[in-house]
Amino acid sequence: MISASSLFPKQVDLNACDKEEIQFIQNIQDHGALVIIEVTSNRVVAKSESIEKHLSLKQTLILDKPFGEEFADLDLQKMIDLTSFGKPKFDVVTIANRQFTAIYHQVEKHLFVEFELANPSKGTYNQQAELSEIFAQLHTVDTDADMCNTAAKLIKNFTGYDRVMIYKFDEDWNGTVISEEKNASMESWLGVKYPATDIPQQARRLFLKQGVRLIGNINSKPLNIITNSKIRFDLSNCEFRSVSPVHIEYLSNMEVTATLTAAIIYKEQLWGLIACHNTTPKVVDYYQRSSCKFLAQVFSAQLGLRSSNTVLEKINNKNRVRATLVEQMSSSTNIVDGLTLKEAPLLNLVEASGAAVYFDGVLKRIGDTPPETAILELLRNINNTENDLFYTHNASQYFKNSETYKEIASGVLCAFISRSKADVILWFRPEKLKNVIWGGNIELEAKNHTDERISPRKSFKKWASQQKGCSEPWDDADLSAAVELKKNISEIILKKYDEIKKLNENLKNAYNELESFSYSVSHDLRAPLRGIDGFAQILKEDYYQSLDAYGKSAINTIIKSTNKMNTLIDDILSFSGLGKKSINVSLFKFDRLVIDVIQFINTKTLYPHSIINIEPNLGKIKGDRPMIFQLMYNLITNGLKYSAECNKPKITIGKENECYYVRDNGIGFNQKHANKIFGVFNRLVGDEYEGSGIGLSISKRVVEKHQGKIWAISEEGVGSTFYFSINDLLIE
Amino acid sequence: MKKPHILCIEDNPNDIALMERVFQKLISDLEVQFITNGQEAIEFLKSEKYKARKPKFILLDIKLPKANGLEVLKAVRADHGNSQIPVIMLSSSDRVDEIEKSYKLGCNSFIEKPKNFIALKKRLPLIVEYWYHNNI
């Protein structure tokens, strides 16, 4: 699968902050203290500036000496053992009669121990109460919006920050404030959208890792890490890691002094943030930060539960719709008719407003779709993807001409049915205009961002823009429904293919049987016919004189009838024989063939009054000569026969627009019977004209054997013209 | 001395009657002997009677009861003594496979049965004349 954001790079690169190595900032915020101990030697290899003052130590902490004396409460070996699996731990310790929370973790054989003053009024008991409240409240909300509001309210109550926001990322990492609790005097940021560059990828990765992050006071001077080592310590898991200057500038532009941020992680991705802001310096202790983290976790779990319920319901609905489509397809003679039998199921399957099915080179559209030419162009553009599915909710990003139909198809979902990508189902969603309020004018920011120095944006004035050319995005349920439908279709096609193959075989067998049946019946009829004719002839030879007039005419009628039946048998045999015959192509002069036919018919004797006109432009023809001979024989005798009784009968054989024709000025027929005359035994005239009613069927077979067409144009009393064309390219 | 004769293997009584008439009226200097099934024909070809007085040529229908014309043809050619005798297949069929098989088995000619009596009267004497004289 391909999604929009992965294919096309952003035009404007505001991501310079991504390159800032914030985890390697070598200082910490001033509300804590840090000691780094080498695990292999137990030596203190680094300490934060003025740690002695911070912890009221009586003596200077000497670097490169074993850790111990000053921190009698801490069991170093236990700390090392506990953190060897990577998880941070904490203890409450008493140092110089004051209680501190020691938070410690290990990174590459270094133990990082951070100290912060414990808040004596808040303790484990308090935290227990907070946690159960969080759990109870988040568990009983009805909607996602309620859950966000409840979460924001709880955090504000527990921590007392000026502003608490729930911030949600979209697929491009732009964030929107979806819930907010704030002091009454502050301006609301609810609904404001922040571009992805505000929280760079680096920072997002750290949030994912750490879960909760405190910035106590952006104006305080950070504390340096003092060390004799040349190692650059990775402080990314440190609670008090100092803040990047870019971020400090960003916060100060927003007039924020202290923050607390907790990551909401859903499906191992950053779903959003709980962001707490304070205009004055503010530090919350470890317990409160843990509560915040816990809340974010409960929030995530609830989110998963809620969304899997909605997704489940959605999938159930889609499965029902899909079952309808499968049913329709199975009971239709072809897939496309089945898919499009009713508009609703195909559209509802992925909640689209238009769909197009392109099968065997034929496009069928339902609902609101772009024009046919636009769809075909779209398909040509999508065709080079290697995937079975293509989708976007922002078609203009991909297809330069899609602007013109964005109202109908800003969203495009395309499922390739066949491996060759020749058969496709497309769904369309209309443009959905959205008013987006940005925290700052992002277009302006991008323009200003030309200098090399990484600096955050300065303006947070609300700036409204309209999101254009986008539809509602396709969600996982839509995509999986499309994939499942594709599978269903492949199965049905396979099944239908088998059925057709079987039917074809049966038909072929039946056809062959019929051919050999008519062949042998015709031959068997010959023998008795020879008898009837022969004995009638003998009667005529030996007894004619002794018969009266009626007897004589009876004998003549018998002989005439047997002749007629012989002709009929000849025609049936040649018609059924043609079915099996393969064509033997050669190039020959058409006028020569026509002359041969006319001589064979013996027109001078049989039709002495008819004029036969052969146009000079007949040229050469490529085909099976004996078959074409038969074709021309049939057409010319037909013309002669039906014009013989007319005044000045005339037959013209010519060529017009690559089509040959035989024209007569005979009795003609009603044009509405023009197709009927080519059917076996279909005759428009009575017995006054001789013929088996097979001649034109044979002609049609000959032409079809040459992958050509035959048709007639006629007018009663005026004459008929029989045209035929043969495909001399295909029969090569 | 007896007239020269030909052998005709044909089962259809109508065809026999009509051919007999043509022989009587138009080719009276020849005698024709009819055998009406394949099996009988094969046996007759082995008989002393046959060897004592061989026909000038054989007219052989393809569709025959008990053994068909192709089997009879095979039997004719299987006998060394008959390798030179002309065999003319007479058939109402024009199936290419039957024609090819007949020639492969050694017939001298394959002729479609005339469709009516007039044609028979015209063609039979020509056939007889051709093969009779060719065989002298």
Side-chain angles (χ1 to χ4, degrees):
Chain A
M1 288 187 211
I2 285 189
S3 85
S5 51
S6 63
L7 257 185
F8 290 82
K10 288 267 175 307
Q11 293 268 305
V12 181
D13 184 16
L14 260 180
N15 301 326
C17 320
D18 283 356
K19 293 167 195 132
E20 205 192 6
E21 294 183 312
I22 46 186
Q23 79 267 39
F24 286 117
I25 291 171
Q26 297 292 300
N27 45 44
I28 63 166
Q29 297 178 51
D30 75 343
H31 53 84
L34 170 69
V35 181
I36 304 175
I37 299 144
E38 194 179 60
V39 172
T40 46
S41 62
N42 289 359
R43 286 180 307 127
V44 174
V45 290
K47 61 174 185 176
S48 57
E49 187 184 338
S50 50
I51 185 171
E52 295 82 358
K53 193 180 144 209
H54 202 101
L55 301 179
S56 310
L57 298 178
K58 287 175 195 111
Q59 289 170 339
T60 309
L61 188 64
I62 302 166
L63 290 175
D64 302 324
K65 282 274 168 75
F67 172 82
E69 294 141 42
E70 299 87 349
F71 308 100
D73 254 17
L74 286 170
D75 178 344
L76 182 62
Q77 198 50 50
K78 189 187 120 198
M79 290 199 291
I80 292 169
D81 290 347
L82 280 174
T83 55
S84 58
F85 299 109
K87 286 246 159 113
K89 300 280 170 198
F90 77 97
D91 279 318
V92 177
V93 293
T94 307
I95 302 169
N97 296 324
R98 283 197 300 170
Q99 279 206 328
F100 286 89
T101 310
I103 307 144
Y104 45 94
H105 70 277
Q106 253 186 77
V107 179
E108 287 171 357
K109 298 289 162 202
H110 288 99
L111 185 72
F112 293 70
V113 189
E114 292 172 274
F115 298 93
E116 67 172 348
L117 209 52
N119 187 345
S121 67
K122 297 221 171 187
T124 8
Y125 175 76
N126 227 320
Q127 196 199 11
Q128 287 276 320
E130 277 179 13
L131 296 186
S132 51
E133 198 179 339
I134 288 168
F135 202 79
Q137 290 214 21
L138 287 186
H139 210 72
T140 51
V141 290
D142 287 331
T143 63
D144 282 0
D146 279 353
M147 184 164 72
C148 292
N149 292 338
T150 307
K153 217 172 271 171
L154 280 169
I155 300 275
K156 178 121 173 54
N157 284 346
F158 295 152
T159 61
Y161 276 90
D162 293 341
R163 184 199 300 272
V164 176
M165 296 175 286
I166 311 284
Y167 189 87
K168 187 188 173 194
F169 292 112
D170 68 12
E171 62 190 79
D172 298 321
W173 298 110
N174 299 314
T176 309
V177 178
I178 57 166
S179 186
E180 180 188 51
E181 275 296 312
K182 59 171 188 65
N183 292 346
S185 60
M186 300 175 95
E187 185 196 5
S188 171
W189 290 352
L190 189 65
V192 171
K193 198 162 188 168
Y194 295 89
T197 45
D198 274 18
I199 300 174
Q201 191 201 10
Q202 195 84 331
R204 292 197 297 268
R205 208 180 305 142
L206 283 173
F207 276 130
L208 211 52
K209 198 169 168 187
Q210 209 170 21
V212 66
R213 165 85 168 135
L214 176 90
I215 298 171
N217 179 2
I218 61 164
N219 299 316
S220 69
K221 193 175 162 288
L223 305 172
N224 287 325
I225 307 286
I226 303 166
T227 180
N228 296 327
S229 162
K230 287 196 173 98
I231 298 171
R232 288 223 298 161
F233 297 104
D234 177 359
L235 299 186
S236 57
N237 283 335
C238 284
E239 295 276 324
F240 307 138
R241 172 170 47 84
S242 195
V243 189
S244 115
V246 182
H247 191 54
I248 289 177
E249 203 176 334
Y250 176 81
L251 292 174
S252 110
N253 288 344
M254 266 201 293
E255 293 167 7
V256 171
T257 305
T259 67
L260 175 70
T261 318
I264 303 170
I265 295 157
Y266 177 55
K267 285 188 180 167
E268 288 162 11
Q269 285 237 21
L270 202 56
W271 179 91
L273 296 173
I274 300 170
C276 311
H277 287 176
N278 222 50
T279 45
T280 54
K282 182 172 176 70
V283 173
V284 292
D285 70 8
Y286 187 72
Y287 288 116
Q288 281 175 298
R289 298 203 297 277
S290 303
S291 294
C292 239
K293 196 171 171 178
F294 178 73
L295 185 138
Q297 282 165 350
V298 174
F299 190 98
S300 302
Q302 278 297 109
L303 211 57
L305 205 66
R306 303 179 72 82
S307 96
S308 59
N309 280 339
T310 5
V311 167
L312 219 63
E313 200 176 313
K314 220 170 158 184
I315 286 175
N316 277 337
N317 277 332
K318 284 178 188 294
N319 284 346
R320 273 194 292 276
V321 174
R322 201 153 48 77
T324 313
L325 284 171
V326 168
E327 167 69 35
Q328 282 176 199
M329 285 188 283
S330 305
S331 52
S332 297
T333 45
N334 81 55
I335 301 282
V336 178
D337 288 351
L339 274 176
T340 56
L341 185 67
K342 289 179 209 146
E343 276 194 8
L346 187 60
L347 297 181
N348 290 349
L349 185 73
V350 295
E351 283 143 61
S353 52
V357 184
Y358 187 69
F359 258 69
D360 295 332
V362 180
L363 187 75
K364 191 163 180 186
R365 297 178 291 155
I366 60 171
D368 296 331
T369 72
E372 183 160 339
T373 47
I375 295 178
L376 295 178
E377 192 194 328
L378 195 72
L379 281 175
R380 278 194 294 279
N381 285 327
I382 306 174
N383 244 345
N384 47 26
T385 140
E386 299 219 326
N387 306 281
D388 291 345
L389 214 58
F390 167 89
Y391 63 96
T392 174
H393 70 283
N394 185 2
S396 56
Q397 236 185 352
Y398 292 81
F399 315 112
K400 54 176 192 276
N401 293 334
S402 66
E403 259 310 284
T404 51
Y405 51 79
K406 63 178 183 185
E407 286 88 356
I408 299 168
S410 281
V412 176
L413 169 56
C414 173
F416 296 103
I417 305 306
S418 56
R419 214 158 235 285
S420 62
K421 302 219 173 351
D423 302 328
V424 183
I425 304 179
L426 286 152
W427 287 276
F428 304 104
R429 276 183 184 171
E431 178 180 39
K432 196 177 174 192
L433 290 178
K434 248 191 208 159
N435 281 318
V436 182
I437 298 163
W438 295 90
N441 184 336
I442 46 163
E443 286 173 16
L444 202 67
E445 286 294 329
K447 259 183 233 157
N448 291 343
H449 208 92
T450 49
D451 53 346
E452 282 295 303
R453 192 185 78 90
I454 298 167
S455 71
R457 58 211 185 83
K458 294 170 181 69
S459 162
F460 286 89
K461 288 230 171 81
K462 279 187 193 171
W463 179 77
S465 75
Q466 201 170 41
Q467 184 179 299
K468 287 179 181 169
C470 289
S471 70
E472 280 290 315
W474 308 98
D475 66 16
D476 286 350
D478 297 326
L479 302 182
S480 75
V483 169
E484 290 301 315
L485 181 68
K486 173 200 138 77
K487 281 188 204 154
N488 292 146
I489 292 175
S490 302
E491 283 159 14
I492 292 171
I493 288 177
L494 220 62
K495 215 172 112 199
K496 285 207 189 260
Y497 174 77
D498 280 347
E499 280 169 17
I500 287 170
K501 214 165 113 188
K502 217 178 228 166
L503 276 177
N504 257 342
E505 266 162 30
N506 291 345
L507 200 66
K508 219 170 164 181
N509 289 339
Y511 181 78
N512 283 340
E513 256 170 49
L514 198 69
E515 294 262 278
S516 50
F517 174 76
S518 66
Y519 184 87
S520 61
V521 164
S522 305
H523 274 293
D524 290 348
L525 287 174
R526 290 257 202 233
L529 202 55
R530 278 196 303 271
I532 298 169
D533 171 76
F535 288 103
Q537 292 282 5
I538 289 168
L539 272 181
K540 196 174 171 181
E541 281 170 14
D542 294 358
Y543 306 96
Y544 204 61
Q545 295 313 321
S546 56
L547 290 174
D548 63 2
Y550 188 79
K552 284 174 183 162
S553 106
I555 286 181
N556 286 328
T557 306
I558 293 172
I559 292 169
K560 226 195 263 168
S561 299
T562 54
N563 280 339
K564 205 169 164 187
M565 191 154 164
N566 257 326
T567 320
L568 190 60
I569 291 171
D570 283 343
D571 284 350
I572 293 175
L573 280 174
S574 99
F575 182 72
S576 69
L578 260 183
K580 285 182 209 156
K581 235 180 200 165
S582 57
I583 61 171
N584 192 358
V585 176
S586 63
L587 185 69
F588 54 89
K589 281 185 173 171
F590 196 66
D591 54 354
R592 184 68 245 168
L593 178 126
V594 171
I595 290 163
D596 288 350
V597 169
I598 290 163
Q599 279 171 356
F600 183 78
I601 298 171
N602 195 7
T603 52
K604 275 183 187 144
T605 321
L606 291 176
Y607 300 96
H609 306 296
S610 299
I611 298 167
I612 299 183
N613 172 37
I614 305 171
E615 295 282 333
N617 65 340
L618 293 181
K620 286 183 173 178
I621 184 170
K622 205 188 261 175
D624 185 307
R625 199 177 194 276
M627 282 194 204
I628 306 261
F629 186 94
Q630 191 168 18
L631 165 69
M632 289 310 291
Y633 174 86
N634 289 342
L635 294 180
I636 293 171
T637 47
N638 236 29
L640 288 166
K641 196 162 68 185
Y642 293 114
S643 63
E645 302 300 316
C646 301
N647 185 29
K648 289 184 187 166
K650 188 182 173 190
I651 311 292
T652 307
I653 297 119
K655 189 180 178 186
E656 222 173 66
N657 304 325
E658 298 305 309
C659 296
Y660 299 93
Y661 65 85
V662 176
R663 180 170 295 142
D664 66 65
N665 57 350
I667 57 167
F669 57 86
N670 190 326
Q671 185 65 30
K672 70 178 178 190
H673 300 307
N675 287 324
K676 222 168 151 186
I677 56 171
F678 294 104
V680 181
F681 295 128
N682 281 344
R683 297 190 78 198
L684 299 178
V685 291
D687 275 348
E688 66 272 24
Y689 289 97
E690 275 186 21
S692 60
I694 299 181
L696 284 176
S697 318
I698 293 174
S699 306
K700 191 172 180 221
R701 267 208 171 176
V702 169
V703 172
E704 280 170 356
K705 281 255 165 193
H706 288 77
Q707 304 188 23
K709 271 183 185 161
I710 186 165
W711 68 100
I713 288 171
S714 187
E715 197 179 324
E716 279 172 299
V718 176
S720 310
T721 307
F722 284 84
Y723 293 91
F724 71 90
S725 66
I726 64 174
N727 192 340
D728 53 5
L729 290 177
L730 283 173
I731 58 173
E732 223 161 325
Chain B
M1 204 184 137
K2 278 191 170 179
K3 286 186 208 171
H5 82 293
I6 61 167
L7 181 62
C8 182
I9 305 161
E10 165 68 66
D11 67 315
N12 186 317
N14 285 346
D15 285 344
I16 292 174
L18 294 173
M19 279 162 91
E20 260 182 329
R21 181 174 166 102
V22 174
F23 274 108
Q24 273 164 21
K25 294 244 162 171
L26 300 174
I27 329 169
S28 52
D29 53 337
L30 270 180
E31 193 181 290
V32 58
Q33 180 190 354
F34 288 95
I35 295 177
T36 56
N37 78 60
Q39 189 56 47
E40 203 181 300
I42 291 171
E43 273 157 29
F44 177 73
L45 285 166
K46 291 179 198 154
S47 69
E48 287 307 313
K49 200 179 160 196
Y50 168 80
K51 282 172 187 161
R53 188 170 170 243
K54 284 194 177 176
K56 287 284 178 184
F57 58 90
I58 300 171
L59 286 171
L60 177 56
D61 190 11
I62 282 206
K63 240 188 191 172
L64 289 170
K66 295 190 182 169
N68 67 32
L70 293 174
E71 288 169 90
V72 175
L73 177 59
K74 216 188 262 176
V76 173
R77 292 298 181 227
D79 187 337
H80 255 312
N82 289 334
S83 60
Q84 294 304 312
I85 191 159
V87 178
I88 292 95
M89 307 299 289
L90 261 190
S91 169
S92 56
S93 154
D94 59 352
R95 281 173 55 178
V96 177
D97 58 331
E98 282 185 356
I99 296 173
E100 280 173 359
K101 227 180 240 168
S102 301
Y103 279 111
K104 222 175 233 173
L105 288 174
C107 82
N108 296 71
S109 185
F110 190 105
I111 294 168
E112 208 180 327
K113 272 188 185 169
K115 283 169 196 161
N116 56 39
F117 190 60
I118 291 175
L120 182 73
K121 281 200 294 184
K122 263 190 210 165
R123 220 166 297 161
L124 194 54
L126 287 175
I127 294 168
V128 169
E129 194 186 343
Y130 181 84
W131 288 105
Y132 178 68
H133 290 297
N134 254 10
N135 202 28
I136 289 171

